[in-house]
């Protein structure tokens, strides 16, 4: 716990005071609103495990693609590992866990961004695009794997917990994929946009990283975020169902 708190403080030392206050209020709200959910629903532990695995694979995918495109920075920092301690951001992990504990139907979270040296990437802006889209692609691949298991494997097991876990894996990874495609810094969608735009747009997007979490939280609180995500979520689920 001591190490966790020290890492929490270190990793989030650059966050503005306004952002810290907003996050603290939200965390306290969910802590007092969880009630006995964790004691009455053992699926919560399985859902948290699926969440952590999905966030981990998302970040590893960025690092692997960067390595393929010529930048070994993530590899040199040990970020191609499947060890969760090397990837999980304490705040970005705690927040979605609290959402799960509170019974929220909308879950989002983030891991520590993998270090990328854009100057070392091959293929220019195409390399940037491939690295940016890799995380989202990993979530959609996980959702497709989950859908395949649901259709062809889960029925033979006859276990309700397996069914529930697979369904959660599908829904969560589509949500994470669509959420990360939104072009709000520092989400992957903003990096995709930066790879397609001119230098001024790219610099503006990277500058806005410090304010992105506030924008995202405000959109979520007002319900706008779900109205943005819902159509894309339904569309991607429909496409995956047709392909499998």
């Amino acid at each position: 716990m001591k190490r966790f708190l020290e890492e929490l403080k270190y990793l989030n030392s650059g966050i503005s005071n306004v952002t810290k206050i907003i996050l603290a209020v939200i965390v306290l709200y969910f802590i007092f609103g969880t009630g006995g959910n964790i004691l009455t629903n053992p699926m919560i532990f399985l859902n948290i495990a699926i969440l952590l695995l999905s966030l981990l694979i998302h970040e590893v995918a960025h690092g692997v693609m960067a390595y393929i495109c010529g930048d070994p920075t993530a590899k040199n920092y040990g970020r191609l590992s499947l060890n969760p301690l090397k990837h999980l951001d304490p705040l970005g992990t705690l927040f979605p866990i609290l959402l799960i504990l509170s019974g929220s139907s909308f879950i989002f979270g983030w891991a520590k961004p993998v270090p990328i040296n854009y100057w070392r990437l091959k293929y220019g802006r195409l390399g940037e695009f491939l690295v940016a889209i890799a995380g989202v692609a990993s979530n959609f691949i996980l959702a497709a794997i989950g859908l395949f298991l649901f259709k062809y494997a889960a029925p033979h097991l006859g276990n309700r917990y397996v069914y529930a876990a697979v369904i959660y894996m599908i829904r969560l990874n589509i949500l994470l994929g669509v959420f990360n495609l939104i072009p709000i810094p520092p989400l992957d969608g903003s990096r995709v946009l930066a790879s397609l735009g001119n230098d001024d747009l790219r610099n503006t997007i990277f500058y806005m990283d410090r304010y992105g979490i506030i924008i995202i939280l405000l959109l979520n609180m007002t319900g706008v975020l779900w109205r943005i995500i819902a159509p894309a979520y339904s569309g991607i689920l429909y496409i995956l169902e047709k392909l499998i």
Side-chain angles (χ1 to χ4, degrees):
M1 178 60 70
K2 181 180 179 181
R3 179 180 177 182
F4 178 88
L5 293 174
E6 289 176 350
E7 189 177 359
L8 174 67
K9 181 179 179 180
Y10 171 74
L11 290 173
N12 297 284
S13 58
I15 295 179
S16 68
N17 289 331
V18 174
T19 303
K20 289 179 180 178
I21 292 172
I22 292 175
L23 289 173
V25 170
I26 293 173
V27 167
L28 290 174
Y29 171 79
F30 284 121
I31 287 176
F32 289 108
T34 56
N37 282 352
I38 194 169
L39 299 177
T40 59
N41 185 6
M43 273 302 300
I44 285 178
F45 295 102
L46 192 52
N47 290 348
I48 291 174
I50 294 171
L51 167 70
L52 297 181
L53 178 64
S54 300
L55 293 177
L56 185 155
I57 291 177
H58 179 106
E59 288 304 322
V60 170
H62 284 305
V64 169
M65 183 57 69
Y67 184 73
I68 292 173
C69 290
D71 176 27
T73 306
K75 181 178 184 298
N76 294 340
Y77 277 86
R79 295 297 302 279
L80 301 189
S81 168
L82 292 178
N83 180 357
L85 293 178
K86 293 182 178 293
H87 299 280
L88 297 181
D89 177 285
L91 194 55
T93 304
L94 177 64
F95 187 72
I97 287 176
L98 291 173
L99 288 173
I100 291 174
L101 293 177
S102 69
S104 173
S105 59
F106 177 60
I107 307 296
F108 68 92
W110 60 93
K112 290 188 292 186
V114 294
I116 304 293
N117 185 341
Y118 290 98
W119 295 105
R120 303 184 73 172
L121 293 175
K122 295 184 289 188
Y123 319 122
R125 291 297 181 88
L126 175 60
E128 288 189 30
F129 173 83
L130 292 174
V131 172
I133 205 68
V136 171
S138 72
N139 289 127
F140 291 149
I141 290 172
L142 286 174
I145 292 172
L147 192 57
F148 180 86
L149 293 174
F150 179 77
K151 286 191 173 183
Y152 302 108
H156 301 290
L157 298 176
N159 187 301
R160 66 186 182 94
Y161 290 111
V162 173
Y163 267 107
V166 171
I167 291 173
Y168 186 77
M169 176 180 173
I170 297 167
R171 291 177 174 174
L172 173 68
N173 277 282
I174 294 177
L175 277 175
L176 289 176
V178 173
F179 170 70
N180 274 285
L181 275 178
I182 298 174
I184 299 176
L187 300 181
D188 295 339
S190 70
R191 301 302 190 247
V192 171
L193 185 62
S195 72
L196 300 175
N198 57 32
D199 289 341
D200 288 339
L201 176 61
R202 187 171 181 275
N203 293 335
T204 300
I205 287 173
F206 278 89
Y207 174 78
M208 289 295 293
D209 277 1
R210 69 192 72 183
Y211 306 111
I213 185 63
I214 298 176
I215 298 172
I216 292 168
L217 291 174
L218 289 176
L219 290 176
N220 185 46
M221 290 176 180
T222 57
V224 174
L225 189 59
W226 177 243
R227 288 198 291 272
I228 295 173
I229 289 175
Y233 171 88
S234 300
I236 291 173
L237 180 59
Y238 175 81
I239 292 171
L240 290 177
E241 287 178 336
K242 291 297 182 181
L243 292 176
I244 297 176

